[in-house]
């Protein structure tokens, strides 16, 4: 046995000397730099593989877009440098940057699988709405990704016992951190210098098709470039003069229409106007090669024969309900906003003119009803800004019936009836249901009464039958309302439609197996397939005479104007412009335009560009601009403030309910990520 008889003070001194030598050893510095250089390369390859789901696709992208790959590596390197400047430890900084990039890739992968959209910078602001995907991350592919991320993070973290402890001077750390932060900032806002780098690298921002944008440019670069899209850029054609020209044209048109308007009176009474946006409602009998044991939507199919009906063109698929509300209520279009943006969370932070404020001006009580928690998508505060008098969310339903995971559609119909009966004034109600929210991969309703037959796998068959049972319940809840108001002496109009097609399995499983679409990659869809995957049934009913109309296709943003025309009510400026544009371009998405002849285009036809520019300018004017339009038309409506007594009947502005909702979710409900 060897005894170390060296004095302890000498041993400590030698230990410090050894550590000091390690810190100043050129080999240690080289090893550290090698780590800093290699980790970003490995990280970018890893996150692209995680998001794309194919090693072949990842390698193909790397070889085809070498410069874009290097830009992604550079951004990952800057992130690592910035964290290193804060933390100081190479291994810990590497583990943190790997965690952040891995989570970004995982969330993007799941979003694409669920609703066809990647991870956007503004998703970070969505809190529980977007980030609560735990209940959906149960598949084998997702679990493999999660485990892979954990393993890589653990390996990087364990390197702290292998890597040299290179203590960087504080001045160098500050300089390094500022450099990294500025580089990330420069690419986020696209400074002139960053713009030159991007141009030389061949970067092509495809903001109108974000999935293609991420596929081409890579996750880190596309995500970073989207930061600037959180702020909507002013249109080149926007000016006081441009808005004045639009106002003059609208004023002339309105004078002619005012002669025909009857102020919406039915036998001297103003009718109740009830909008019902049924969660994920669609007609499953439209699926190619699929038959059902019996008709799941008898009410809808009867109304399609007897009343005004047709199809709405939704800006969403599988999620993003609030964006459809935004289009219908405001008459504005998502096609002019960054792909994947959420106006309720990003832009509606001041009073915005809407159907709710318009009907309030006409002597109506404007109420929002939603059978989920009021904090979701910030509806508590947004509905106030949109001019509603009150908002009845699930917190204010008394002992509601629950079917599946959520409050039933039948319960929503009962609450509509209750609110109309308890209100003396005519009512404008905007209703959003929740019962048939996805996922549909378990038989939540017990036995399904509608058997689907066709070229479907067992899993796809189960998903479709569960969804169809919920769609049938929505159909029957509409029948309940019709039966009630059929003999009512209160004139009432009901407008019923869905917000988007349902997500029937990952990668559009049911649609693909049924032959409704040919590819699970939206980038490969034909214009006709894009149209089909965004077309939602619309039906109307009233207990007073109304001419039957057939609506081949109409964007959600034009629905409000159409309903006002059906009621012979004068339209305010923004909805009047909607009606004009709908005559030329009834369907308007960022990647699909449908003209008055129902011909499909990938972009706006030249003949309609001027009017579409007017529409874009007016939308910008009301949401972000100087409100020039209010100087020429409808000043009181366009500048109306929120109702001072908003939600007084339900205890104020909903702040307390929001706090409760954030700390305690509905017991029966599963976490929701796309409502």
């Amino acid at each position: 046995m060897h005894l170390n008889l060296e004095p302890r003070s000498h041993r400590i001194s030698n230990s410090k000397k050894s550590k000091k030598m390690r810190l100043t050893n050129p080999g240690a510095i080289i090893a550290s730099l090698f780590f800093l250089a290699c980790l970003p390369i490995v990280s970018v390859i890893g996150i692209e593989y995680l998001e794309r789901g194919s090693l072949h696709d990842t390698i193909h992208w790397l070889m085809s877009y070498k410069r874009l790959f290097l830009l992604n590596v550079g951004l990952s390197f800057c992130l690592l440098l910035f964290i290193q400047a804060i933390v100081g430890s190479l291994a810990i900084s590497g583990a943190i940057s790997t965690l952040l990039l891995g989570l970004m890739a995982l969330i993007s992968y799941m979003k694409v699988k669920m609703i066809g959209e990647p991870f956007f910078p503004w998703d970070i602001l969505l809190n529980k709405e977007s980030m609560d995907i735990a209940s959906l991350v149960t598949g084998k592919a997702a679990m493999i990704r999660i485990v892979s991320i954990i393993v890589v993070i653990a390996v990087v973290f364990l390197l702290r016992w292998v890597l040299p402890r290179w203590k960087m001077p504080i001045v160098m750390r500050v300089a390094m951190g500022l450099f990294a932060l500025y580089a990330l900032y420069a690419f986020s806002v696209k400074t002139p210098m960053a713009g030159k780098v991007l141009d030389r690298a061949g970067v092509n921002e495809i903001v109108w098709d974000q999935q293609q944008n991420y596929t081409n440019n890579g996750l880190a670069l596309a995500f970073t470039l989207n930061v600037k899209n959180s702020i909507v850029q002013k249109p080149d054609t926007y000016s006081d003069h441009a808005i004045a020209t639009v106002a003059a044209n609208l004023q002339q048109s309105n004078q002619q229409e005012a002669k025909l308007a009857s102020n919406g009176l039915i036998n001297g009474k103003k009718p109740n106007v009830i909008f019902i946006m049924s969660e994920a409602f669609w007609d499953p009998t439209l699926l190619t090669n699929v038959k059902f044991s019996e008709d799941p939507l008898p009410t809808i199919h009867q109304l399609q024969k007897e009343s005004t009906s047709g199809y709405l063109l939704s800006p969403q698929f599988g999620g993003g309900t609030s964006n459809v509300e935004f289009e219908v209520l405001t008459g504005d279009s998502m096609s002019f906003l960054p792909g994947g943006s959420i106006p309720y969370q990003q832009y509606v932070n001041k009073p915005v003119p809407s159907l709710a404020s318009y009907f309030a001006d006409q002597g109506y009580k404007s109420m929002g009803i939603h059978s989920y928690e009021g904090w979701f998508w910030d509806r508590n505060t947004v509905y106030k800004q949109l001019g509603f008098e009150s908002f009845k969310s699930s917190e204010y339903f008394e002992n509601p019936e629950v079917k599946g995971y959520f409050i039933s559609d039948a319960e929503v119909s009962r609450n509509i009836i209750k609110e109309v009966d308890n209100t003396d004034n005519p009512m404008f109600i905007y209703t959003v249901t929740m019962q048939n929210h996805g996922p549909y991969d378990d038989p939540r309703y017990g036995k399904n009464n509608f058997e689907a037959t066709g070229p479907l796998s067992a899993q796809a068959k189960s998903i479709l039958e569960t969804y169809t049972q919920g769609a049938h319940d929505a159909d029957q809840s509409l029948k309940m309302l019709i039966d009630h108001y059929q003999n009512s002496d209160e004139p009432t109009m009901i407008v019923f439609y869905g917000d988007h097609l349902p997500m029937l399995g990952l990668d559009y499983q049911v649609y693909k197996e049924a032959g409704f679409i040919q590819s699970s990659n939206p980038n490969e869809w034909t214009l006709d397939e894009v149209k089909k995957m965004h077309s939602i049934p619309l039906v109307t009913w009233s207990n007073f005479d109304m001419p039957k109309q057939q609506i081949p296709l109409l964007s959600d943003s034009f629905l409000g104007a159409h309903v006002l025309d059906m009621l012979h009510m004068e339209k305010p400026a923004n909805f009047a412009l909607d009606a004009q544009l709908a005559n030329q371009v009834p369907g308007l998405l960022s990647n699909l335009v449908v003209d008055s002849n129902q011909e499909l285009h990938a972009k706006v036809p030249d003949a309609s560009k001027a009017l579409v520019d007017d529409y874009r300018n007016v939308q910008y004017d009301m949401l972000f601009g100087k409100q020039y339009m209010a100087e020429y038309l409808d000043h009181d409506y366009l500048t109306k403030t929120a109702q001072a007594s908003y939600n007084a009947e339900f205890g104020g502005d909903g702040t307390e309910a929001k706090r409760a909702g954030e700390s305690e979710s509905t017991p029966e409900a599963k976490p929701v990520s796309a409502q």
Side-chain angles (χ1 to χ4, degrees):
M1 181 174 65
H2 174 74
L3 296 177
N4 186 355
L5 300 178
E6 184 181 12
R8 183 173 181 273
S9 59
H10 289 183
R11 294 201 304 269
I12 294 175
S13 177
N14 288 338
S15 175
K16 289 182 178 179
K17 185 176 180 180
S18 173
K19 187 175 289 186
K20 185 176 181 180
M21 288 176 63
R22 190 181 182 189
L23 295 174
T24 57
N25 188 329
I29 297 177
I30 292 174
S32 300
L33 293 177
F34 182 77
F35 175 82
L36 287 171
C38 288
L39 184 61
I41 295 175
V42 175
S43 296
V44 169
I45 295 174
I47 64 175
E48 292 299 329
Y49 175 58
L50 284 175
E51 191 195 28
R52 296 170 192 269
S54 165
L55 184 60
H56 175 270
D57 290 345
T58 302
I59 295 175
H60 176 73
W61 171 77
L62 191 156
M63 300 305 295
S64 301
Y65 299 94
K66 295 183 180 67
R67 292 182 179 181
L68 300 183
F69 167 69
L70 292 176
L71 280 178
N72 280 267
V73 171
L75 291 171
S76 177
F77 175 72
C78 289
L79 175 64
L80 177 58
L81 276 188
F82 179 68
I83 298 173
Q84 164 68 12
I86 297 174
V87 176
S89 168
L90 279 174
I92 295 178
S93 301
I96 293 174
S97 67
T98 302
L99 172 63
L100 294 177
L101 292 172
L103 284 176
M104 186 165 68
L106 178 64
I107 294 171
S108 192
Y109 167 79
M110 291 306 302
K111 276 195 67 184
V112 169
K113 289 293 183 183
M114 290 188 292
I115 60 175
E117 291 182 349
F119 182 48
F120 300 114
W122 41 87
D123 286 338
I124 297 172
L125 304 176
L126 302 187
N127 302 319
K128 292 173 73 174
E129 296 94 329
S130 166
M131 308 303 287
D132 194 359
I133 62 172
S135 67
L136 302 176
V137 185
T138 56
K140 180 180 178 181
M143 293 307 298
I144 290 175
R145 282 165 171 76
I146 293 173
V147 172
S148 298
I149 292 171
I150 294 173
V151 170
V152 172
I153 292 172
V155 170
V156 174
F157 182 77
L158 290 174
L159 288 177
R160 70 176 303 197
W161 282 278
V162 177
L163 287 171
R165 298 181 182 180
W166 181 21
K167 186 175 182 181
M168 187 181 298
I170 187 65
V171 175
M172 186 179 294
R173 282 176 60 179
V174 172
M176 184 177 70
L178 290 176
F179 166 78
L181 184 61
Y182 176 76
L184 293 172
Y185 165 80
F187 283 98
S188 296
V189 302
K190 200 175 181 179
T191 62
M193 182 178 296
K196 292 180 180 179
V197 174
L198 294 170
D199 290 341
R200 289 182 179 180
V203 174
N204 180 25
E205 282 192 84
I206 314 172
V207 295
W208 58 91
D209 187 345
Q210 288 288 356
Q211 188 169 355
Q212 189 66 39
N213 192 30
Y214 277 62
T215 299
N216 289 1
N217 293 320
L219 177 60
L221 179 58
F223 182 89
T224 303
L225 292 176
N226 264 323
V227 170
K228 66 180 182 302
N229 293 330
S230 299
I231 301 175
V232 178
Q233 298 297 316
K234 182 176 72 173
D236 294 336
T237 54
Y238 175 69
S239 67
D240 189 354
H241 175 72
I243 297 298
T245 302
V246 175
N249 293 334
L250 288 175
Q251 192 167 27
Q252 183 178 1
S253 176
N254 286 350
Q255 288 174 351
Q256 298 174 353
E257 292 185 4
K259 299 176 182 179
L260 302 176
S262 62
N263 293 321
L265 296 178
I266 308 298
N267 297 325
K269 293 183 178 181
K270 294 180 178 180
N272 300 307
V273 180
I274 302 171
F275 279 62
I276 302 174
M277 190 171 73
S278 182
E279 169 58 38
F281 184 82
W282 182 66
D283 186 350
T285 67
L286 295 175
L287 281 173
T288 314
N289 304 322
V290 174
K291 302 294 182 182
F292 291 91
S293 54
E294 61 179 291
D295 185 1
L297 306 178
T299 307
I300 296 298
H301 292 155
Q302 181 178 353
L303 289 175
Q304 287 176 334
K305 297 176 182 178
E306 299 175 352
S307 303
T308 292
S309 62
Y311 289 89
L312 294 177
L313 194 62
S314 172
Q316 301 298 130
F317 172 85
T321 295
S322 67
N323 287 356
V324 180
E325 290 176 51
F326 170 78
E327 284 207 343
V328 175
L329 286 168
T330 66
D332 292 335
S333 175
M334 290 298 302
S335 63
F336 301 139
L337 300 173
S341 58
I342 309 293
Y344 273 20
Q345 300 254 333
Q346 295 172 253
Y347 312 129
V348 185
N349 49 24
K350 64 177 183 179
V352 174
S354 75
L355 286 176
S357 57
Y358 171 75
F359 275 98
D361 283 345
Q362 308 305 310
Y364 281 70
K365 176 180 179 179
S366 291
M367 172 181 279
I369 296 178
H370 183 29
S371 51
Y372 199 61
E373 297 165 2
W375 58 267
F376 214 81
W377 292 130
D378 283 346
R379 285 187 178 95
N380 273 331
T381 54
V382 169
Y383 275 21
K384 179 178 182 179
Q385 303 289 20
L386 293 178
F388 283 93
E389 180 179 332
S390 57
F391 173 39
K392 187 174 187 177
S393 52
S394 65
E395 296 91 333
Y396 306 111
F397 281 54
E398 297 178 4
N399 300 316
E401 175 192 29
V402 173
K403 194 160 188 180
Y405 305 137
F406 307 106
I407 292 176
S408 71
D409 287 352
E411 184 69 27
V412 174
S413 291
R414 286 191 284 269
N415 272 266
I416 291 173
I417 293 170
K418 175 182 177 182
E419 294 303 329
V420 172
D421 288 348
N422 291 342
T423 304
D424 293 331
N425 291 345
M427 292 197 73
F428 167 75
I429 298 179
Y430 195 90
T431 313
V432 184
T433 70
M434 190 67 179
Q435 177 188 322
N436 210 24
H437 194 289
Y440 313 100
D441 52 2
D442 59 351
R444 69 170 79 169
Y445 302 119
K447 180 183 177 182
N448 296 324
N449 297 320
F450 303 91
E451 182 180 359
T453 56
L456 302 173
S457 64
Q459 182 185 41
K461 184 176 185 294
S462 175
I463 290 172
L464 178 58
E465 290 176 350
T466 296
Y467 169 77
T468 301
Q469 181 65 54
H472 172 74
D473 291 346
D475 178 276
Q476 293 304 291
S477 72
L478 174 59
K479 184 178 185 298
M480 179 192 299
L481 286 175
I482 292 173
D483 289 345
H484 175 82
Y485 288 109
Q486 186 75 58
N487 301 315
S488 172
D489 60 357
E490 286 197 53
T492 301
M493 178 184 186
I494 298 174
V495 183
F496 182 95
Y497 54 97
D499 49 355
H500 50 69
L501 269 72
M503 187 191 72
L504 300 177
L506 298 180
D507 284 330
Y508 310 95
Q509 180 183 4
V510 172
Y511 302 102
K512 181 70 166 54
E513 291 187 16
F516 194 70
I517 54 175
Q518 298 304 308
S519 172
S520 58
N521 183 356
N523 296 323
E524 298 176 359
W525 291 349
T526 64
L527 290 178
D528 186 60
E529 287 178 319
V530 173
K531 175 186 172 184
K532 289 198 301 182
M533 294 298 282
H534 288 269
S535 294
I536 314 296
L538 162 72
V539 294
T540 65
W541 177 87
S542 62
N543 58 5
F544 52 88
D545 290 337
M546 187 172 286
K548 180 180 183 298
Q549 302 176 42
Q550 185 62 37
I551 305 172
L553 195 71
L554 189 70
S555 277
D556 284 319
S557 52
F558 302 146
L559 176 60
H562 193 84
V563 170
L564 293 179
D565 280 338
M566 291 175 67
L567 292 169
H568 300 293
M569 299 177 72
E570 291 187 47
K571 297 185 294 293
N574 55 329
F575 289 101
L577 182 58
D578 290 348
Q580 285 189 8
L581 183 57
N583 288 331
Q584 288 190 25
V585 184
L588 182 63
L589 298 180
S590 60
N591 59 345
L592 173 67
V593 179
V594 184
D595 65 22
S596 58
N597 297 319
Q598 295 301 303
E599 294 182 359
L600 310 183
H601 308 265
K603 60 181 181 179
V604 177
D606 291 340
S608 301
K609 280 184 177 179
L611 192 54
V612 171
D613 284 343
D614 289 343
Y615 182 37
R616 182 197 300 266
N617 287 335
V618 170
Q619 176 171 320
Y620 182 86
D621 185 61
M622 291 192 301
L623 289 178
F624 314 106
K626 298 184 178 181
Q627 295 187 296
Y628 293 131
M629 181 63 78
E631 299 175 9
Y632 304 104
L633 282 177
D634 299 318
H635 179 272
D636 291 343
Y637 161 73
L638 293 174
T639 60
K640 186 176 182 179
T641 58
Q643 297 198 44
S645 59
Y646 170 71
N647 236 22
E649 64 185 296
F650 297 125
D653 63 3
T655 301
E656 293 303 318
K658 178 176 181 178
R659 290 173 181 168
E662 289 176 341
S663 61
E664 181 180 353
S665 57
T666 304
E668 298 85 354
K670 277 195 172 184
V672 180
S673 64
Q675 164 56 23

